[in-house]
Amino acid sequence: MTVTDISPSVMQFLLAFIVVAPLLGALAALLPAPPGLRGRNPDQAVLRHGVTVTGAVLVAAIVLAAGFDHDHPATMQATTDISWIPALDVRIHLGIDGISLPLLVLTALLTFLCALYSYFKLPAGPSPKAFVALVLVLESGTLATFAVLDLLLFFLAFEMVLIPMYFLIARWGGDQRQAAAWKFILYTLLGSVVMLLGLLLIGLKSGTFDMVALATDNGRGLTTSVQVIAVLAIGLGLAVKTPMWPLHSWLPDAHTAAPTVGSVLLAGVLLKMGTYGFVRILLPVAPDGMRTFAPYLAAFAVVGIVYGSLACLALARTGAKGDLKRLIAYSSVGHMGFVLLGIATMTPTGVNGALFANIAHGLITGLLFFLVGAVKDRYGTADLDTLAGATGAALYGRAPRLGALLAFAAVASLGLPGLAGFWGEMLTLFGAYSPAEGLSRPAFRTFMAIGAFGTLLTAAYMLIVVRRVCMGEHAPHSRLSSVEQPQQAPRTADGPQPSGTAGSQPSGAAGSPSLETAGPRTATTPQLADIHPYEAAAWTPLVALTVLAGLWPAVLLGLTDPAVQQLLAGGKS
């Protein structure tokens, strides 16, 4: 039953609009603004343009979700199928089902929230026109990745996001941004070259690049050796983007250097493209090849879970000079390990858990990077020792609402029951307890035990972060040393605003002359600016959806489960 009765032709138009509109908006952003739309200064028009375009795409995505036939989520809907390159049988084939629809809506939501946040808090860097255009190209490529049903189009969309993210890091990032951007582009491009070879192998050996036809065939047209080679090649490219240990080393550097909105989009959207490729392409198209590599994928996944957690614990300890953004980046390595573990089980339970964890990670980690960016704006640093030693009262005493929201996001990230992070991890562990036929139960139950241990490590480092950043640490002296005093960094990832913009910090914000130096837990503890209205507008939807998904998981699982069941059955109901 659909919420609204929308004709198939309108659904087709909506999906095409969602994919193409951001690209057209990016071109329009580079043109001069009409005289009547320039706002208070030349930058306002293009920033408002970004909010308008991403807002229109989000509305279209919500309408598309409302018109989606929820009684048949395994059926491809809003499909468009047009011949593009007849010689290679490459088609402009678009469509959505219960697997891709949640990712489509998540992408549209996060990009709109980033555009809204940037309207008030633009990162320091070159022209705002270029910034808005790059964000819109990034959105178009990501949405296309989740909507296309042709292997070569998938590759083109997959690659389309690399250049915009490279420039967002290299031009609007913080310290070490050039090195981080180069590392990001080199890792992902090398992985993509190998992935292209695997996609071509599948298309040439099977005689089609159509993902629906390939999924329905369920690997029957491909020999086992071809499937093994294809899974190895495509899996390497997807694993880099996910990122899977040990191909993850570009991620912490990229997150640490990226501006706030860049980190939100990278964690909330781009990482999902890799895991989506595993589910959409490898599981149904090359099941025998996946069965061969599933134990190794699961092993790498659980190593990533433990490794990411141990890296976070090392960064969180006192005296380590750990960067809070870098810590959240390493936490993503662990969280995406759960997603890969669920995929490796090749069971409906595990794959549903992986898809649920994908969405939960996008919501929670997106919120965490927003919050860490706000903390860095106020203190001028994301160094954990500085944040914990700045005052005994820390965030709870200086910006209580911001501190409470950071604590909420942390406990959501560690998988507290009743919040979105819980269900994905639980389902992936259940899937590992009873993997698909042909996979070793003792091995996967060992992986399950290691993954469960990883949840304990996650809880440990997240609670340490909350204690240190939100509650602070007792200083040994009544006065703070100069290194512990909050200060405005000369250039942060979201640098100082031009005078007169809506994102200017009010008096009492980090770096303002009104900040006093005081001992811990005294009446003269300096206050920081608490949550601004534009921050509340950008963060509230993520908080609400984190709670909704935790309390009512059937909304998401009702979409993904029938589609996953049919995908694993080779297109047979």
Side-chain angles (χ1 to χ4, degrees), residues 255-272:
H255 271 308
T256 304
T260 294
V261 294
S263 292
V264 171
L265 293 175
L266 182 58
V269 175
L270 265 66
L271 303 189
K272 312 303 175 284

Side-chain angles (χ1 to χ4, degrees), residues 151 195-209 222 225-231 233-234:
L151 289 180
M195 183 177 75
L196 176 61
L197 297 177
L199 295 174
L200 290 174
L201 177 65
I202 287 178
L204 296 176
K205 289 294 185 180
S206 63
T208 181
F209 289 97
L222 300 171
S225 60
V226 169
Q227 290 189 36
V228 169
I229 296 171
V231 169
I234 298 172

